[in-house]
Amino acid sequence: RAMSPPDVSPGTPGQPVQSLPSDVFIVVPVRNTVLFPEIVFPITLGRPATIAAAQQAVREQRQILIVLQREADKDDPGPDDLYRIGTVTNIVRYVTTPDGNHMLICQGVQRFRITEFVEGQPFLLARGLHLAEPAPDGPEVEARFLVLQRQVGEVLELLPRVPPELRQTVEATTSAGMLADLATTYLDATPAEKQDILETIDLVPRLDKASKLLGRRLEVLRLSAEIGNKTRESLDSRQREVLLREQMAAIQKELGDEGSNKQELADLEKAVAAARMPPEVEQVAKKELRRLQRTPE
């Protein structure tokens, strides 16, 4: 895939290093993102080592290996701080913003198991094994695929402002493994939960795990929708009551009954004045009388 090299001035983290062996991958550790095969996703670069790694990959027009850190707050992760399964990734675009931030638009290609880390560069390198996507086989996979399809469809219906492109992608997905990966990518799950699904190669357990996570999310969305409906019903009831009172006042006015309780209120006001109550009691009585005057008949 053709890529345009970023501008790198001497002394910056992206300063060129010697050409790398062809059998190693440049490792880009990430804090909270799990990239799945076939998924296009932005990766923000903030550390000098990851910027240097990405820029070297752009110069050599080679793929990188996106790997999740075990602890997100680790600023300079080494081999022991990274999971052993990541994703071989194409760099679709390298972006440098005017305020100096660096970002990669990445497309996952294939799962990859790291067997060896290679140090000695400003960034980590790794060797390992490509993990092929298993072929869907048998009714167990098909049944789980259909269940996951229904769950994803319901989630999309309950979520507000779903991008049309995401809905179209989900509807066009016919691969069971791809659907599990796609659903997990946009699911409100922890990085560790997503990493667990990335490491699950076999389709049946992968679909089961994705379905379990999705089912948990569905329970929250259904409850949220139910609470929202009850709130709207309550508001509708109050609005209906206000409307009925306004209609009743209009009917009374039309019939000449408007203010039919004015005489009764005037009598009550005289009675309060004539009762010679203690001052604090009279104050409360007048307050209640004023409230009664404002209350629709």
Side-chain angles (χ1 to χ4, degrees):
R1 183 182 298 273
M3 298 173 284
S4 300
D7 295 329
V8 184
S9 58
T12 65
Q15 191 169 0
V17 299
Q18 63 183 9
S19 183
L20 303 174
S22 59
D23 65 335
V24 298
F25 281 100
I26 295 173
V27 177
V28 176
V30 290
R31 296 180 190 270
N32 292 303
T33 301
V34 177
L35 182 65
F36 289 88
E38 305 298 330
I39 305 297
V40 176
F41 210 79
I43 302 291
T44 301
L45 308 175
R47 294 170 288 198
T50 56
I51 294 173
Q55 292 182 347
Q56 184 69 19
V58 170
R59 288 190 189 90
E60 296 193 24
Q61 296 193 2
R62 62 193 296 160
Q63 295 171 319
I64 58 174
L65 185 62
I66 299 291
V67 185
L68 179 68
Q69 297 179 203
R70 295 182 184 275
E71 300 293 338
D73 57 356
K74 187 79 172 180
D75 286 330
D76 188 21
D80 293 339
D81 303 310
L82 304 178
Y83 286 94
R84 287 301 185 268
I85 291 183
T87 304
V88 176
T89 304
N90 288 329
I91 299 177
V92 178
R93 190 178 177 191
Y94 189 111
V95 180
T96 305
T97 62
D99 55 359
N101 291 324
H102 297 254
M103 179 181 293
L104 296 179
I105 308 300
C106 295
Q107 182 177 30
V109 176
Q110 191 175 27
R111 286 169 166 83
F112 187 88
R113 184 187 303 277
I114 298 171
T115 58
E116 176 189 7
F117 281 99
V118 180
E119 301 186 72
Q121 299 292 348
F123 41 78
L124 289 173
L125 304 172
R127 293 187 177 94
L129 304 171
H130 292 272
L131 302 175
E133 181 73 6
D137 183 25
E140 289 190 355
V141 171
E142 184 177 356
R144 286 167 170 80
F145 173 66
L146 294 175
V147 169
L148 193 60
Q149 262 189 333
R150 288 195 293 271
Q151 287 179 309
V152 172
E154 186 175 352
V155 166
L156 294 180
E157 290 300 322
L158 291 172
L159 284 175
R161 298 181 297 278
V162 175
E165 299 81 7
L166 177 57
R167 192 184 300 274
Q168 292 167 5
T169 300
V170 168
E171 292 173 352
T173 301
T174 57
S175 164
M178 172 66 180
L179 183 62
D181 292 348
L182 182 64
T184 305
T185 295
Y186 295 101
L187 191 62
D188 185 17
T190 66
E193 289 171 328
K194 294 183 178 184
Q195 178 68 27
D196 182 35
I197 291 182
L198 181 71
E199 295 184 0
T200 306
I201 311 302
D202 293 340
L203 290 179
V204 169
R206 194 196 311 177
L207 289 164
D208 284 342
K209 289 178 180 180
S211 184
K212 182 178 179 180
L213 289 176
L214 212 58
R216 195 171 64 199
R217 181 61 175 157
L218 266 175
E219 288 182 6
V220 175
L221 289 172
R222 287 169 183 158
L223 181 59
S224 177
E226 183 180 346
I227 293 172
N229 289 336
K230 287 181 179 179
T231 302
R232 282 192 295 272
E233 288 173 3
S234 175
L235 289 174
D236 290 344
S237 176
R238 292 175 187 173
Q239 291 168 351
R240 183 171 179 271
E241 183 178 346
V242 170
L243 179 61
L244 287 174
R245 289 188 183 279
E246 290 176 351
Q247 290 175 339
M248 182 181 295
I251 291 171
Q252 288 176 339
K253 182 177 180 180
E254 189 70 23
L255 294 175
D257 292 339
E258 184 182 24
S260 60
N261 63 341
K262 284 184 177 179
Q263 184 59 49
E264 182 181 350
L265 292 173
D267 292 343
L268 282 172
E269 190 172 8
K270 290 179 182 178
V272 169
R276 296 183 180 181
M277 307 174 186
E280 62 274 11
V281 178
E282 184 175 6
Q283 184 179 0
V284 173
K286 288 181 177 180
K287 180 180 177 182
E288 292 300 321
L289 181 60
R290 288 194 299 270
R291 179 181 298 173
L292 182 61
Q293 289 169 339
R294 292 194 301 268
T295 302
E297 186 177 358

